C-alpha cells in the first residue's frame, strides 16, 4: 500500500539545512511540509558525531532562524570573552526542541524518520517498508546535497593490515584505556584531526606520543575575529578587503591576512595549500604546535604493524600504535547548481560559508517570492573552499550574493533580524559610531578589494 501525503513541500534530510529551510519557510508561508530522514530523528550528522566535538564557530551562527542556539559569552577558560560553542549533545537537544516546539507544534509539519527517499516523489520506511508519495504539485527540497561525511559512517580510505588497531575518531577515549598505546597516529588535515589532537593533549598525552599524518597543511581562521558582534566581524571583512586590494598573489594575500590576525597556520615554516578555513582558537594553535612529529608524505594508502605506507614514502611507527581515522570529507564540494530547479529546490550556501543562514534565506525567499528566476537572481549559490583559489572564489561569490539579496528591503530587514547572519547589525547597534566606522571602511575598500580578489580567483568581473 502507498500512502499519499497532501503536502506542499517534501524536505529530504532533517539535518541543519533541512531544519533551517523548513523553519524559515513555515514562518512566512501557510504551507504543509513533510520532512524525511534515514536517521532516527532530526539533527543530521550530529546524531553520529564524535562525543567531544564542538562547533568551530559561535553557536549563535548555527541552527534555525526562529530559535537562537546560544548567545552567551564565555566568562572563563581559554576562550573567555568569546561566544560559546555548543557540543554534540547540546546541538542534538536543540534540534529535538525545535522539532517539537516549533515545527510539529505548528500543525503544518510532519517528520518521517527512519525513511529513505527513492526518487520520483516517493520514499519508504526502512523499518516497515511502507511506501509514501507526494503529489505532483509538491516541491522536493534536496537538503542532502552538501551533507558531510563523517568518519563513523564512512569507509576507510586506506588498507589495514593484520594486528593493527584502527578506530574512527568517535572511539577515541584516551582517558579510559587501561593500557594506552605507546603512540597515537592521527590521520587527517582538517578540523576533526585538530579536535582529536586537542582531545589527546587535554587527556595528558605527551605530544611526543602523537604522530600526525597531515597530507596538506591548512589555513584556518582566527576564531576571535569571527564573532556575532558587528564591530568584530565587519572589521574582519574590512581588513580582508583592504588586504585583497593590495595583494599580488593568493599566497601573498593569505600572508597579509596572517599578519592582520585573521588567518592562522599550524606551522609558520610550511606553506599551506588547503583553505577550507574553519575557525581555530589561539589556545588550540599553541597546543597543536607542540605536536612535532608531523608526516607530510601525501595521503595514507595502508597501515601495517609498525609502518605507514603513504603516497610519498613509508614511515615507521610503534608496533602497538593506535591509528585514529579523521580523514572523511567534512565539507562536500559538488558542482554549484541553481537553487531553484524544475520541481526541486537545492539549498546551498549563499554568502561565504554559514550554511544555516543560507538555508534559512532560501526558505524565506521561497516563502516571499513567486518567480523561480527572480529567486535564483537573489540567491546565487556559493561553494565551500578547499584550495586557496576555491576560498577566494567562495568569498567573491558570497559577497556578490550578499549584495544581490541585500538590495531587497524586506530581505535586508529580515536578515538583520536573524542571528544566523554573521553580518547583521542588530537594532540596538544600528546607529553606533563604532558600527558606522567599520561600515565606512568596508565601503572604502570593497570596490578595489573585491575586484582584485576576483582577478586572483580567476573569476570574471
Amino acid at each position: 500500500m502507498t500512502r499519499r501525503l497532501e503536502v506542499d513541500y517534501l524536505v529530504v534530510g532533517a539535518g541543519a539545512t533541512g531544519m533551517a529551510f523548513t523553519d524559515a519557510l513555515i514562518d512566512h508561508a501557510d504551507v504543509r511540509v513533510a520532512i524525511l530522514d534515514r536517521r532516527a530523528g532530526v539533527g543530521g550528522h550530529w546524531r553520529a558525531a564524535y562525543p567531544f566535538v564542538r562547533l568551530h564557530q559561535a553557536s549563535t551562527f548555527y541552527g534555525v532562524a526562529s530559535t537562537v542556539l546560544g548567545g552567551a559569552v564565555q566568562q572563563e577558560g581559554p576562550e573567555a570573552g568569546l561566544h560559546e560553542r555548543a557540543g554534540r549533545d547540546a546541538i542534538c537537544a536543540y534540534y529535538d526542541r525545535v522539532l517539537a516546539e516549533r515545527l510539529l507544534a505548528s500543525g503544518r509539519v510532519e517528520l518521517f524518520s527512519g525513511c529513505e527517499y527513492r526518487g520520483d516523489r516517493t520514499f519508504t520506511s526502512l523499518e516497515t517498508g511502507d511506501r509514501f508519495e507526494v503529489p505532483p504539485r509538491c516541491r522536493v527540497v534536496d537538503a542532502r546535497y552538501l551533507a558531510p561525511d563523517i568518519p563513523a559512517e564512512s569507509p576507510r580510505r586506506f588498507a589495514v593490515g593484520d594486528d593493527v588497531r584502527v578506530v574512527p575518531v568517535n572511539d577515541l577515549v584516551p582517558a579510559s584505556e587501561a593500557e594506552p598505546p605507546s603512540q597515537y597516529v592521527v590521520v587527517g588535515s582538517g578540523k576533526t584531526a585538530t579536535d582529536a589532537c586537542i582531545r589527546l593533549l587535554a587527556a595528558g598525552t605527551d605530544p611526543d606520543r602523537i604522530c600526525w599524518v597531515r597530507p596538506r597543511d591548512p589555513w584556518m581562521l582566527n576564531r576571535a575575529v569571527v564573532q556575532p558582534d558587528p564591530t568584530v566581524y565587519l572589521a574582519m571583512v574590512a581588513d580582508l578587503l583592504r588586504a585583497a586590494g593590495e595583494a599580488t598573489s593568493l599566497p601573498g594575500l593569505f600572508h597579509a591576512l596572517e599578519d592582520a590576525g585573521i588567518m592562522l597556520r599550524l606551522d609558520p615554516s610550511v606553506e599551506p595549500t588547503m583553505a577550507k578555513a574553519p575557525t581555530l582558537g589561539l589556545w588550540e594553535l599553541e597546543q597543536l604546535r607542540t605536536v612535532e612529529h608531523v608526516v607530510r608524505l601525501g595521503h595514507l594508502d595502508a597501515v601495517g604493524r609498525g609502518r605507514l605506507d603513504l603516497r610519498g614514502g613509508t614511515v615507521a611507527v610503534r608496533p602497538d600504535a593506535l591509528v585514529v581515522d579523521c580523514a572523511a570529507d567534512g565539507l562536500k564540494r559538488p558542482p554549484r547548481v541553481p537553487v531553484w530547479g524544475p520541481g526541486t529546490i537545492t539549498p546551498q550556501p549563499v554568502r561565504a560559508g554559514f550554511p544555516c543562514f543560507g538555508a534559512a534565506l532560501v526558505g524565506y525567499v521561497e516563502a516571499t517570492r513567486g518567480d523561480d528566476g527572480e529567486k535564483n537572481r537573489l540567491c546565487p549559490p556559493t561553494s565551500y573552499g578547499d584550495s586557496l583559489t576555491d576560498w577566494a572564489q567562495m568569498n567573491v561569490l558570497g559577497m556578490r550574493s550578499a549584495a544581490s539579496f541585500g538590495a531587497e528591503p524586506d530581505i535586508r530587514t529580515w536578515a538583520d533580524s536573524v542571528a544566523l547572519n554573521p553580518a547583521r547589525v542588530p537594532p540596538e547597534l544600528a546607529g553606533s559610531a563604532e558600527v558606522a566606522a567599520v561600515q565606512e571602511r568596508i565601503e572604502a575598500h570593497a570596490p578595489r578589494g573585491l575586484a582584485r580578489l576576483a582577478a586572483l580567483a580567476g573569476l570574471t568581473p
Side-chain angles (χ1 to χ4, degrees):
M1 296 294 293
T2 298
R3 175 184 166 191
R4 184 181 177 92
L5 305 175
E6 294 301 327
V7 295
D8 304 293
Y9 294 87
L10 175 64
V11 178
V12 183
T17 296
M19 294 290 281
F21 172 87
T22 304
D23 172 82
L25 176 70
I26 67 167
D27 219 18
H28 299 277
D30 185 13
V31 293
R32 299 191 65 83
V33 182
I35 307 178
L36 72 93
D37 200 287
R38 61 184 176 81
R39 293 184 171 90
V42 294
H45 75 278
W46 291 105
R47 300 181 68 88
Y50 46 100
F52 52 92
V53 67
R54 295 171 69 192
L55 287 168
H56 72 92
Q57 60 189 344
S59 297
T60 303
F61 294 146
Y62 206 82
V64 303
S66 69
T67 310
V68 178
L69 171 56
V73 174
Q74 299 177 66
Q75 301 300 316
E76 56 187 22
E79 294 191 1
L82 303 185
H83 284 248
E84 65 184 3
R85 298 182 294 124
R88 180 194 67 178
D89 293 346
I91 294 169
C92 290
Y94 165 84
Y95 278 122
D96 285 341
R97 187 171 71 253
V98 168
L99 173 69
E101 298 178 4
R102 275 281 301 163
L103 304 188
L104 299 183
S106 72
R108 294 180 287 130
V109 178
E110 189 171 1
L111 173 69
F112 294 85
S113 57
C115 290
E116 190 77 41
Y117 185 59
R118 302 300 183 186
D120 196 26
R121 302 176 183 274
T122 67
F123 63 95
T124 56
S125 168
L126 296 173
E127 181 179 353
T128 66
D130 290 346
R131 187 172 182 272
F132 302 84
E133 67 177 11
V134 297
R137 64 178 172 79
C138 175
R139 295 201 83 160
V140 176
V141 181
D142 184 2
R144 309 164 303 169
Y145 191 65
L146 296 174
D149 289 336
I150 59 175
E153 298 180 334
S154 303
R156 293 195 185 104
R157 298 182 172 184
F158 49 87
V160 179
D162 295 335
D163 200 22
V164 178
R165 296 176 61 200
V166 179
V167 298
V169 66
N170 293 53
D171 296 337
L172 177 61
V173 192
S176 68
E177 296 203 41
E179 296 183 8
S182 62
Q183 187 178 41
Y184 293 91
V185 177
V186 177
V187 181
S189 299
K191 178 185 180 294
T192 302
T194 63
D195 283 352
C197 290
I198 292 294
R199 177 71 183 91
L200 287 168
L201 295 169
T205 305
D206 189 317
D208 292 338
R209 289 174 54 207
I210 301 173
C211 169
W212 190 350
V213 177
R214 207 155 73 210
R216 296 186 295 165
D217 267 54
W219 282 109
M220 298 185 173
L221 283 165
N222 182 353
R223 187 172 298 135
V225 301
V226 186
Q227 293 291 301
D229 178 339
T231 62
V232 174
Y233 182 82
L234 295 179
M236 181 273 293
V237 174
D239 289 340
L240 187 158
L241 288 167
R242 175 190 56 76
E246 299 171 355
T248 58
S249 68
L250 282 176
L253 171 58
F254 276 80
H255 292 164
L257 295 176
E258 182 180 33
D259 292 340
I262 294 174
M263 285 290 175
L264 305 173
R265 54 178 158 169
L266 298 170
D267 188 335
S269 68
V270 175
E271 192 70 30
T273 59
M274 188 167 77
K276 295 182 179 181
T279 72
L280 189 72
L282 292 176
W283 68 275
E284 291 172 306
L285 179 65
E286 181 180 352
Q287 291 194 24
L288 292 169
R289 284 179 172 172
T290 67
V291 179
E292 297 181 354
H293 187 187
V294 178
V295 177
R296 296 185 178 90
L297 292 174
H299 290 283
L300 182 64
D301 287 330
V303 179
R305 184 169 175 81
R307 61 182 285 162
L308 306 174
D309 295 325
L310 303 110
R311 303 284 169 85
T314 298
V315 173
V317 293
R318 304 284 178 82
D320 69 333
L322 176 66
V323 179
V324 185
D325 184 6
C326 304
D329 281 334
L331 294 180
K332 293 288 189 64
R333 300 186 63 255
R336 294 191 304 274
V337 298
V339 173
W340 283 269
T344 302
I345 299 172
T346 309
Q348 294 153 82
V350 178
R351 66 165 61 250
F354 303 97
C356 293
F357 173 71
L361 175 61
V362 169
Y364 175 84
V365 171
E366 170 64 16
T368 58
R369 302 298 194 274
D371 180 71
D372 283 357
E374 174 66 2
K375 296 172 193 174
N376 279 321
R377 183 188 71 81
L378 292 173
C379 298
T382 66
S383 57
Y384 292 125
D386 184 68
S387 67
L388 275 61
T389 299
D390 294 332
W391 177 90
Q393 291 179 351
M394 175 185 72
N395 278 277
V396 171
L397 295 175
M399 291 181 190
R400 290 176 179 175
S401 295
S404 178
F405 69 73
E408 299 288 309
D410 69 307
I411 298 180
R412 187 179 185 89
T413 298
W414 173 83
D416 274 343
S417 72
V418 174
L420 300 176
N421 178 14
R424 83 176 185 121
V425 179
E428 63 271 18
L429 295 177
S432 73
E434 294 83 0
V435 170
V438 294
Q439 289 174 328
E440 289 175 4
R441 288 178 55 211
I442 289 176
E443 292 173 3
H445 295 301
R448 181 181 178 188
L450 190 55
R452 185 61 189 146
L453 190 59
L456 293 172
L459 295 173
T460 57

